Structures are given as structure tokens and as C-alpha cells.
Amino acid sequence: MQCYTELTPPTAVSHVIYFPFVTPDSNNVIVAKTSVLQVFTWKNVQELESASEQNTSAAVSSSVTDRKLLENEDLNASVLSAEATVQQAGTRSLTKLVLIAEYDLSGTVTSLARVKLQHSKTGAEALLVASREAKLSLVEWDPDRNGLYTVSIHYYEQEETERSPWAPDLHRCANYLTVDPRSKCAALKFGSRNLAILPFRQAGDDLVMEDYDSDIDGERPDVASSGPVDDDLSTGDAPFTPSFVLPLTALDPSLIHLIHLAFLFEYRGPTFGILSSSITTSTSRLSERRDVVAYTVFTLDMEQRASTTILSVSDLPYDLYKVIPLPPPVGGGLLLGINEIVHVDQAGRANGVALNAFAKEASSFSMADQSELGLKLEDCTLEQMGTPNGEMLIILNNGDLAILDFKLDGRTVSGLTVRRVRPENGGLMMKGSATCAALLSKGRMFVGSEDGDSTLLGWSLPSSQLAKSKRQSGAAMDLGSDESLDEDAMDYDDDLYSAGDAVSQKPTHTTDVPNTQADGVATGDYIFQIHDSLVNIAPIHDVTFGEHPIRNTMSDPTTGQLSLMVASGRGRAGGVTMIRREVDPDVIGRFKLPNIQGIWSVSAKRPVPKALSLPPRATTTAQLDGNKSADAGFDRFIVVSTIDGKDAERSVLRPVTSTGFEDSDLRDTEWEVEGGTVDLGVLCRGTRIIQVLKSEVRSYDGDVGLAQIFPVTEEGTDSESQVLSASFADPYLLLIKDDHSIFLIGGDENGELEEVELPDQLKGLQWSSGCLYSDRDGAFGRASQGDSMDDREMHVKMFVVTTDGVMHVFGLPSLSRPLAVLASLNLLPPLLPCDSNLKRPAHDAEIGDIAVAELGDHVYNSAYLVLRTTGEEVIVYKPFLQGSSESGQAEPSLRFVRLPVHGWTAKISQANRETRLPPMRIISNIGGYSTVFIPGKSPGFLFKSAASSPKFLRLREKKVKLMSGFHSKGCFRGYIYVNDKGAVVSARLPSQWRYTELGWPIRRIPLGEEVQALSYHAPMKTYVLGAVGKNAFELPRDDELHRNWARESLSFTPEVDQGSVKLLTPVNWTIIDTYALPPQQVPLCIESVLLEVSEITGKRRQLIAVGTSNAVVADQPARGTIYIFDVIHVVPEPDRPETDRRLKLIAKEDVKGAVTALSEVGSQGFLLVAQGQKCMVRGLKEDGSLLPVAFLDMMCYVSVARALPGTGYCLMGDAVKGLWFVGYMEEPYKMTVFGKSTGQRLEVIAADFLPAGQQLYIVVADADANLHVLAYDPEHPKSLSGMHLLHLRSFHLGHFPTQLLRLPSSLAKQSGTTSKTQRSSAASTKNQILLTTQTGCLALLTLLPETSYRRLLSVQSQLLTSIDHACGLNPKSYRLGMGGLDSASGHPGGVPAAGGAPAAGSAAGGGTYVGSATDRAVLDGSLVARIFTDVDVVKRLEILSRAGTHETEVREDLRNVGAVDAAAGVLGYL
């Protein structure tokens, strides 16, 4: 039995939409990444240009900018006016994305649309999500839970069962969604010709609006009103009426071959614009089917379920493929083709523009000629730019930018013009194609991509042209009113039958100069820039493991660390991405001190001498001037608390150096050495150093002069209680004592400490932990303001937790009434406060420590509540305020929602629990990140960026108990810690690494070319890449058989691939050697193989095998070449010591057919080659030739070839014949077919072996994103002596697979030190399968023992109905195989019906189905892991008791499969 777990989320953006979703006035960007839904907002910041232009580490750039960011309150201001505003010198305005929420979906998103409901919880608009399985989910934002709320779900799979026998399956059709602009209905096109209509209730639907009389019927209702409504006051009606399904032929019998459809603007009723053809379009039969496309506009009558044709335009170019509805002032529909763009207005007038030389040759349609541009519109994206004349941005499939202009004569479009954006203005800054785009505001657009990073684009006019525009326009042209003018145009609704010239609309005059606007400004001078980006490692073409050096500046040798390397990106966005499992510290210094108990860094202001004291304003200026010095802000001291052999504690103070601290103590100070320090911090605006001892608090000035000694024992008592922990928030200090009491100290303006008197009700409670937080953003509510309070006091919040798990929140200095009292914190509910009637379990989660801190980066950070239990489990809560004064409440209530953060800092065992855990450390800036460090045996950081959710990343140290931030010249924004060996290490985050996007550290190495294949050469520690570029193709001029080729003159030449083999060094990640392949030859596969290089001595050498394909033209057979390279040492280039390695060609063999797969096979150092329609075993001879010794005729091209080392077993897979299981023999040389996949066609994309003891499993990924598990069992009666591979089960991935790589599990090495249960699990997980996908998702398939499988299966079955699933999607149906309907079972993917199984030999996954009705599918590890994040302790224990298991067993099983704590479990060798 197997378990599938997604290690990293998908990164490729497939869909995006922009509208107010969270609140009516919010700016929300909804992004879909295949199966992940993210909700963003955006903010404008002012950033130093110098920081963005530096190519140094992220720590340096972020630390410079974190003090210079200024939020722009008017987020919707016009870009033109914003650019015209005088800004500070050296700064620029940037727009950044900020993540609000993120959800994993049990489905593949195919479309997103906005819907304006009559009533909603917040008054904002709702989101309609369409998934691949013909499902529609209507969701809105729930302010009570601060998350998604599923209003309804609609599914139409059953409608597809009534299709005609020859119609394609549902999952093989393009399903997409379109919504009426006035939100009257939505239409889902699914299947081949089906249209599902979902009507929505809107105000005034029952009124005849055109016959409305206000004198008789009263005040006219506001149709656009959709304010918030309380659940108790709602009418109870659903926001929609029953949906229905129409075949397209019901609209018009001629709609046989649908191309695309969309709802249009400016119509009173729902109106379609449909592209269709009466006959299938074909490029090869262009002479017969030249202009066969028609554009028809239908209006839909939802009550009668009928339609009326409004207009029709026929004889359109055959290559039109998309309808883009345009709002006013342009209106109509824009028809996008491969070679041209056509606009059709409401009167049926059509205007087109030809954008390359093929447009006129392929169509007789009248178009303006701009063929000199040479644009290719395949897979391009168009989006409006928000200008008054309706300009649209065109993003080509290679990332180039162009702008579409409309020539407007009043309301009539008289022509179209297209112009490229010049390279110096940012026309080439995008590296990959765009899949979607959404306009955010004037001059801001989000562009999603599946080939490269998704970017947030911005554009503006140059300052000179902006000034010229103002002079010419004068008072009549107010740039600040552009947005209101645009909103008026958007809100305008034209009557269906009214003439366009009868509308009172401000005309936009035209001009004969195509690149000039009406105001005389050259519109081609838009300057584009990238404001923000979302990291994308998709698509992943190939994957390998390699060793990279970790340079330690304290020692000469370099140590190697294994990393996962993936070839990612497409086109100019191509490159290599390095992925690590943990955060590797960039060590700056190492120091040795015995028996360290604590370490802190101190940065305090030096005291101003009294003789030089200045007035307050002058003092502030002097301090600001002092902060500009080179040493300003750096740490000055290091405090180390130690204990000697006699248990005597000491606290030493040492000055800071550039890499650490000096060896000797700092003298001539009043520092108290005797006694161990509990905690250390600064108060009173950084002028006082506060040393917390176990029995007293000492206050020092900036020069470590003793200012005050403050005892923490209560007067008049004999209590000898000691301080356990402390928390600082200027001007307060909170102490937690060992008698479960708290002690609060406050500081005044003179730096004097005073005790804050606690109320009697607080003194009578038992406290276990507490924390202070300076809440300047009001995330936890506003405290009552007093007359004598300064700015610091008004924002400090105190969080204290009782021993029975009740958290009290106070707004200091007021302690009379808490802001919130949250009971049952130790139950870890998904939402706080939770149900007070929850039954308390016998063993709840004991809270060991809490921290309220800001997590984020220099762009945006926000407050989070971090809990750590005594079992060292890390839980993260996000606060939010529910309700407001507008809703009738006196003040909003404080709530917390739990985030799906997985983290444990120790192995799951009661024996590992320490008496008291070391406290979590809040560090304000490490490499630009505000983070919380969690110490322990598996320590880690909580990292978060503005555009990501919090992630727990482990530090590559076995055990860290002590850490502090460290900021010096040599260790800029770093950290200092004590490792398990007692050494003090100063380090910083490695530069050019990203930590928050995947939850694993990644580093991008852009190469500007697409990398098709890569492999690691271990002896030389280098990577060999197969890169592909683009070159213009021209026919050979000297071909004697085609002399007419020499006379061909073609201005618009096609592009062909041009391959090369490159050598990448991990020293500085640069290309040090390139072997150029012949023209039109591309590398398809690269493998590092151990081949025999001498027939006499039998010597073997690690070599690089490269397989290529050379496809010249379609009428000639493809040919291939096998290259064998060696990596050798050479003399390096001057000043480039890393160039001491080169590629050396050992052998080259031209073969018939493309070389599609390579693998090492056998025990004699031979090479398995898939060439053309054959698979051959070849041996390398000393003369450089490759001698074939055995072959197998496959009768089709092979997509994958694998060999199981040490066995002679081989796998061959293709898209037609399925999977072949072959045995290779060496005496004599022979290849024998053992078994094949049977049943329906299995389109093999990737495959690999998964051995488990005496059983041999074969894992196959097909073209429908399904994963199939097959087995070779010749003793099974249905296998026909092994000739039929047994199909065990199928599992839908949701992501298109690219590679399957068998890996050894690191758990097998740990089995000797674990329990019996863990040893059994580790033995079963000896081999695992790593999956890579085109969406950037990494996943793991793991074998499980029977006991673990039954445990997790029982938990998964109960979780299906016990937790909420985003968008109401069913995880069980999502994971069923989608390989088409099986002829015997009638169920998709070979899944048996209730009470029976498919007949033998009829499995959809390829292979004889041998299961039964009681068989169980592959487990979803990510779903099972939600038992620790989505349910409280009570429900968790209830589910586990029903499953007959314990929490530690389930957690250990999930750790083995990578679903929980993957960094400490599987892939431990990374």
C-alpha cells in the first residue's frame, strides 16, 4: 500500500482575477495555482532605488529598505498623478502583493469569475470557482471565521454520461467559465457541446424596468445594491435559482464546432458572443476551409431557456480562437487570432489588423496591414490598461510586450493599431509567456505565468512627456480624475437596441498618427517596470541530486552538501533551481566557551553627557545624525551566561567584533558578573540595558553604568521565588516566576523602573507563560488612552496564559478589564475563542511557551501568536478583529484562526520532554525577515514574506538551545547561537536564497535558456545541462533537389530549436564550457553513467551520455545522435579558477530515429538506448564507437527507459503501446519481454520501479495526471504467467507529471535506533518515488506496512466528513483516477463499482485489474496530516480512538511519508 504526499505546493499561476472580495472597499487579487487558491491585497511603498539595484545579499538590501518604507494611503490613486508627485530623492514608488489567505483545493481550477450577489456576509462580491470535473463552487468571505465560506457547489458530471458514444470524455475537453457583467447568470462550458447556466437573484429581477413608473411603483430600487446582511435578517432564499444545462445546438443548430464564448458588456440581458465554425478548421486544408469562422451574438432568455440571435458576422479568419469582451468606451467583442486581431462592435461592424505576413495569405478578410511587426499571437494574453481610450497590453508567448490601440470616432471603432514596447522601455523585461492577467489599478497589472515568475507590472509616462501633457491639456485634462472618468464609463449600460451615436458620451478624437494620443503625447513612451513577483519553479523538466560546496570562512576546506537540482522554466525564463531541506548557516565566526547557559547581543544608545545636553528637538536631531555613522545600529556587546563545575553561574560582558566577540571580558564597567542571566533587553527608547536575574532586575545605561537595582520579590513576604522567563516591550517588562505568578515593571521617561500594581483577580491566578507585544497597527484592538500616556504605552499588549489554558489579553497600562479572555487554548482549536461546551480530554496539550511577534519581511509584517507545547509542537495563530462599530457592536472582538504550519522541534516521545523548554526567541531582523526562532533538538525558524504564509524551516544543526540576533559589520543582520557541541557560532542567512515560497530553501540560477535535461558528474562535482535556444530557420540555399529554395524570400521566418550541452560549476554557478550541437538538433536526455572504457582491462569511468533529436522538416524522418562526454581537468582561464574543467567528446554515434531515453544497464558497464522505435544495449569501444549487443523492437517511440540496478530488469514506456517490463541477459546478450500493460491505452509519461522486499511494484504516470501502481506477479492466475502486469490502483495527481525518480529513504538508516513499529515502517520505506510536475509541485510516493496503512486509512476516512474542505470539493472523488470510463465497470479510472470490480483485463490504468470492492486506494498524506492543524485536541483524540491508534503512532507514520515534519523525516540526506 502506498501513500502520496505533496512536499511543496504548486508555483505556476494558472488564473487570476481582481475585485473587492474581503470587504466592499478592499483591493483583492485572487490567484489560482492549479490546486491552490490565494487571496492577496496590495500596498504601495516607497523604496530606495539603490537597494533594489544592488545585487548583493537579500539581507543587505532589505535591511537598508526596512527603515525607508512609507505606506501610500491612497492605494487607488492614478499612476500618472503618482508619478507626477514630487518624491524624495533616491526613492521610487512600488506596489507589493500581501497575502491574506491561502487554501489547498481538492480539484484543478479551470476558471475564476466574480459575482455580485444580492446579499453577502460582508457586502463584497463573491467568487465563482470552476474545476476540471465540471464543478462550480460559489464562495464568499466569512468575517466571523476570517476565511472562505462555501455558499453552494454545483456539479454537472452526470450530464456528461448522456453524451453521444463518439464524443470525447469530460476530462479531455476544455472546460471554462464566463459570467454576465451584471451578474445575472454564469455559464460553464463543459464537455464538447454542453452549456450549464446558473442564474443569480438580483434586485429588480421581477420588475419590468423599462416600464417602471416611480409615481406608481414608488422609489426605484438600486439594482447594484449588495450590502452586508445578517444571517438572522436574511430572507432565506438562495442567491441563485436552479441551474440548467443546454446543448449548444439548442441556441443555434449551426453551433456544431464551438471555438470560444463569453458574455458581453452593455446589454440589458445576458448576451453571448460565440466563435464557432460549421466545419472543423484545419491549417493543412486551408485552401478548402479558408474563412469558415463565424461570430454570433445571442441574448439568453433564462425563463424560457431559449435564445435570440442579435447579429452574426461570417467569413472570419480560420485561426481566431478567443472572444474578449470589452467594456465601454470601446465595447463589443475582440476576436483574437494567431495572425490577426479583429474587433466587432454592437452593430456588427468589424475591423481587423494583420500582424504578420501569414495573415493576408491565410484569409481574405479585410484587415489593416501591420505585417511588418511580425507578431505571433499563439498563447498570448491581452488585458486592458485602464486608459480612457481602451488601450490593451499584449503579452506574447515569449514575454515581449506590445500595446493595442483603438481608433475611436465617438462610440465607433474605426480601426486598430498595434505597436511594440521598445526594449529600453521594458518591452523585453518579462522572461516567459503569460497565462493570465488582471488590471489592479491605473498603471498596475498582475501577470500570471506558468513558464516563469508571475509579476506585478507597472507603467508610467516619462516626466518630460507628463509635463507636456499637462501643458497641452490645461485645466480640462485633470489627471487625478482619470479614475472617476473610467468608473463612469464602466458603469454605463447601453440599451440593447439604442444607436451608439445617440448616447451622450465624451468622444475621444482620433488622429492619423498611430503612435500619438489625442492630447499629443506619444503613447509609445510608456515605461514598464516590475514591482513585485511570485517565485515559480515550473515547469520542472528534469531532476537530479548533486553536491554543492558550503564555504566556511573559518577554515580552508569546503564541505559538500547534497541538494536537489531541478531544471525549471521555459524559454528565456529557463534555468536551474537548487532546493535544500534545511537552512544552512553561512558561518562567519566560531568561538569556544564552556558550559554556556545563555547568550544575548546588546545594542544600546550611549548616554549624552549632561554638559552637552540639548533641548529635546536638538537631541533628536543629534541622534538622527549619529545614526548615519558607520557603527549606528550595530550591536555593541555580547552577554554570555555560563556555569562552572561548582554550579556557580556567571554572566560575562564582552565587546563585539566584526565576526563575533572578543576573548576577554569588558572591564571598567559596573556590570554584575555573579549570577546567571535569565534574559536581556533594552527599554526606555534604547537608553537602558535591562539584565534580568533570577531574583532581581538590573538597569544599566548605554555605557554599562549601573542605574538601578530592582528586586522582584514581594515586600513583606519570605517568598524565594525565582524568575523563569521575561518579555520586553518598551516601556514594560513582564516576568514569569516559578511560583506561577507574574511581575510587571514599567519604565518612565527618565529610565527609572517601577512596579506596576496588579489587580487582585490577577494575583489569585496561576500563570504558566506570558508575552508582551507592541501593537502599533492595532491588530489586537485599541486600548483606552489616558492623558499621561506616551505613544509607547498606548500600543503595548500583555498576553498571559494560566496553567489551565486560559489566555488573557490586556491593553497596558489598563489591567482592570482584559481586551479578551480566550478559554481552552490548550485544546488548540482551529478558531479562538472556541465552543465553551467542548468536553475536555484526559490529556490535553500543555502550553509550554507563547510568543506574540511580527512575522514578515521589509515589505510587510504582521502579528502572530506562536505557541509551543511541552511536546515541542509549534502552533501558529493569526489574530483578527470580528465585528466593528458600524455593525452595531461597541467594539470589535478579538479572535484567532489557526494556520496550517507543521513544526516539531523534537522527536515524538515522552522521554524527550524536558522539565522546561528553552524559550523561543523573537528576532526582529535576520536577513530582512522578522522571525521567531524555536530552539530544541531540531531547531528552526518561522519565516514569512509579504506574499507567503508562515513556514517552519529547520536550521541545519542537531540541537540549538540558545540563539540571539547579531548585527555587526562582518555579520550584517545575522544571528549567533550555541550548538550541541558547546561552540558559539555567528552566522547569517546565505545570500540569493528564498525561504518562504515553497517552505524549503531554494535558489534560482537563471540561464536565459530552457534547460531540457541535466545530470550531475560526481567525480568532477559539476553539472551537465542540455539547453535549448531559438534560431531563425531558413531553407538550405545549396540544395540541388530544391533549387527554388534559393529564390525564396521570406521576411517572417519560423524559429527552430538550437541545442547545446553546457557545463555548470557549483563554485559560482556559472557556465564554464559549452558544446554547440548542429543546427536543429536538441538534447532530449542526459545521464551520468558508469561505462566500461576498455575491453582489455575492463576499466570503468563515470561519463556523460547525451541523446539528441534532429528533426529538419515534417516530410523527413527524425534522426538522432548519441554523445559520450568526459569531464576533464584543464588549465583555468586567468582570474577564473573555476574554469579548470571542460567537456571532452569521447564518442559520437548517429542513429536512425531520435534518442529519447538513456540508462545504465547490466553489470558490465553498458548503456541502454531508446533510439527511434527500438531499444538497444550498447557498449563503448576503445575506438570511440558504440557497439550494439542486444535490442528490442518497440514499434513506437519510447518516452521512458529505466533499469533496476543489479537485476537486469528494465522498463520501457510509450504513449501508444503502454508499459513494457523487460529482462536483460548478458550471457548471451538478450532482451526478453516479461510482461506488458493491457486494457485501455496507457499514455506513459514517466515510470520507475518501486521494489519492496520480495514484491516488485511499477509506478506509472500517464498523460491524464494519474498515477498507476502495477505489479509483476507471474504466480497470480490473472497475470497469464506474468505476461499481463497487474493493475492494483490508480490515483489522480492533479498536476501533470514530468519525472519519476526512485530514491533511497533516509529512514532506513535510522531504523536501528527506533522502536519496533518505527523499524517496521522504515523497512517498508526503503525506496520512495519522487515526482516532479509541470506546475512546480514536488511529491513523494511511499510504501507503507499494513499496520501503518490501516491506521492512516481509518484516520483519512473520518477526516473526509469531519473537517471543512475549501470550496466544498470532495477530496475522495478528486483523487479517483480520471482515465476515462471503463467499459466493464462504468466508473472512471478502473475504480470498481459498489459490489463488484471491473472484469479482468479492462483496467483503465493499463494492466489486468485484480482488485475487489474492498480494495483501498493510495492514501493522501496531505489530507491525513490535517488532523494536526484542522481539528482541536478533543476531536483529534476522538478520531484517533475510533481508529484504535495513538497520536504518536500517526505522527510517526506521517513523518515517514513526508506529510509532517518532512525536513526531519524523509529525504534526510538533503
Side-chain angles (χ1 to χ4, degrees), residues 546-568:
E547 197 174 275
H548 68 274
I550 300 178
R551 295 193 177 275
N552 186 347
T553 58
M554 300 302 298
S555 57
D556 294 335
T558 59
T559 59
Q561 181 63 46
L562 202 62
S563 294
L564 181 66
M565 303 290 294
V566 297
S568 60

Side-chain angles (χ1 to χ4, degrees), residues 1260-1301:
V1260 183
D1262 65 8
D1264 292 323
N1266 295 327
L1267 195 70
H1268 305 278
V1269 180
L1270 295 90
Y1272 175 71
D1273 187 2
E1275 297 181 358
H1276 197 282
K1278 293 185 178 181
S1279 67
L1280 302 181
S1281 299
M1283 289 304 298
H1284 288 181
L1285 296 177
L1286 304 178
H1287 182 271
L1288 302 181
R1289 55 190 59 88
S1290 298
F1291 185 83
H1292 184 61
L1293 301 175
H1295 311 279
F1296 191 82
T1298 56
Q1299 291 289 336
L1300 297 182
L1301 183 63

Side-chain angles (χ1 to χ4, degrees), residues 261-575:
L261 62 88
F263 280 106
L264 301 179
F265 290 89
E266 301 184 285
Y267 288 93
R268 176 163 298 167
T271 304
F272 292 110
I274 299 181
L275 267 180
S276 64
S277 62
S278 58
I279 190 172
T280 306
T281 59
S282 174
T283 305
S284 60
R285 306 186 66 179
L286 189 58
S287 59
E288 303 174 6
R289 306 178 183 181
R290 189 174 179 85
D291 295 325
V292 296
V293 174
Y295 173 70
T296 311
V297 177
F298 298 92
T299 181
L300 180 65
D301 187 347
M302 291 182 291
E303 294 184 358
Q304 302 296 329
R305 299 187 181 184
S307 63
T308 302
T309 303
I310 297 178
L311 62 90
S312 179
V313 180
S314 59
D315 299 332
L316 294 173
Y318 83 103
D319 57 349
L320 296 176
Y321 64 90
K322 189 175 184 180
V323 179
I324 302 177
L326 300 180
V330 178
L334 191 70
L335 311 181
L336 185 61
I338 296 177
N339 306 309
E340 67 283 317
I341 298 177
V342 179
H343 177 266
V344 180
D345 62 10
Q346 290 182 335
R349 292 184 292 267
N351 293 277
V353 55
L355 299 179
N356 57 51
F358 292 148
K360 292 290 187 179
E361 297 181 6
S363 175
S364 301
F365 185 77
S366 177
M367 295 178 288
D369 189 8
Q370 282 191 279
S371 58
E372 68 278 0
L373 294 176
L375 299 183
K376 304 173 183 178
L377 301 182
E378 298 98 331
D379 300 325
C380 74
T381 300
L382 275 74
E383 183 62 31
Q384 290 192 341
M385 299 178 64
T387 57
N389 58 352
E391 289 176 312
M392 301 187 73
L393 181 65
I394 304 175
I395 307 170
L396 303 178
N397 59 3
N398 61 353
D400 294 354
L401 302 181
I403 296 177
L404 172 64
D405 286 316
F406 296 93
K407 294 182 180 180
L408 297 179
D409 185 8
R411 291 277 295 170
T412 303
V413 177
S414 59
L416 308 177
T417 58
V418 177
R419 63 185 187 277
R420 284 182 178 269
V421 178
R422 293 197 293 264
E424 59 269 21
N425 290 346
L428 303 179
M429 64 181 180
M430 292 198 60
K431 304 302 181 183
S433 64
T435 56
C436 54
L439 181 68
L440 308 187
S441 66
K442 280 294 192 64
R444 299 293 186 266
M445 180 184 297
F446 180 85
V447 179
S449 176
E450 294 181 339
D451 297 342
D453 290 349
S454 299
T455 58
L456 199 158
L457 290 181
W459 61 89
S460 61
L461 291 174
S463 57
S464 59
Q465 295 208 6
L466 186 62
K468 180 180 178 181
S469 173
K470 286 187 175 182
R471 290 194 302 269
Q472 292 180 352
S473 59
M477 181 63 179
D478 184 11
L479 293 177
S481 62
D482 282 346
E483 187 166 341
S484 61
L485 175 63
D486 200 41
E487 290 177 355
D488 294 339
M490 293 288 290
D491 293 338
Y492 177 79
D493 292 311
D494 190 13
D495 187 79
L496 178 62
Y497 302 105
S498 63
D501 53 1
V503 180
S504 176
Q505 179 76 14
K506 182 178 179 179
T508 302
H509 301 287
T510 61
T511 177
D512 294 335
V513 182
N515 290 343
T516 304
Q517 288 183 347
D519 53 12
V521 179
T523 56
D525 289 335
Y526 282 127
I527 298 177
F528 289 83
Q529 65 174 338
I530 295 178
H531 288 234
D532 201 1
S533 62
L534 299 180
V535 173
N536 178 24
I537 64 170
I540 299 177
H541 304 287
D542 203 357
V543 59
T544 188
F545 285 85
E547 197 174 275
H548 68 274
I550 300 178
R551 295 193 177 275
N552 186 347
T553 58
M554 300 302 298
S555 57
D556 294 335
T558 59
T559 59
Q561 181 63 46
L562 202 62
S563 294
L564 181 66
M565 303 290 294
V566 297
S568 60
R570 186 177 286 125
R572 297 199 306 257

Side-chain angles (χ1 to χ4, degrees), residues 22 79 87 183 239 248 280 322 334 351 365 501 533 625 692 725 890 1108 1152 1185 1218 1314 1321 1341 1364 1456:
V22 177
V79 168
Q87 301 178 356
S183 299
L248 286 174
T280 306
K322 189 175 184 180
L334 191 70
N351 293 277
F365 185 77
D501 53 1
S533 62
D625 293 338
V692 180
S725 62
T1108 67
K1152 294 182 179 180
S1185 61
T1314 54
S1321 178
L1341 185 70
D1364 295 331
N1456 293 338

Side-chain angles (χ1 to χ4, degrees), residues 637-653:
F637 310 109
I638 288 290
V639 177
V640 181
S641 179
T642 62
I643 184 172
D644 57 17
K646 299 180 181 180
D647 295 336
E649 296 180 335
R650 301 177 71 252
S651 299
V652 297
L653 181 70

Side-chain angles (χ1 to χ4, degrees), residues 1318-1373:
Q1318 295 170 355
R1319 285 197 301 268
S1320 175
S1321 178
S1324 299
T1325 57
K1326 185 177 180 180
N1327 291 282
Q1328 296 172 311
I1329 296 291
L1330 179 68
L1331 296 91
T1332 63
T1333 63
Q1334 284 194 356
T1335 61
C1337 176
L1338 298 176
L1340 199 67
L1341 185 70
T1342 309
L1343 284 170
L1344 287 176
E1346 180 67 20
T1347 55
S1348 298
Y1349 180 84
R1350 289 180 180 273
R1351 257 195 309 266
L1352 298 184
L1353 178 63
S1354 178
V1355 174
Q1356 175 179 285
S1357 301
Q1358 297 182 58
L1359 284 177
L1360 290 173
T1361 56
S1362 299
I1363 60 177
D1364 295 331
H1365 304 287
C1367 297
L1369 299 175
N1370 188 355
K1372 185 176 181 180
S1373 63

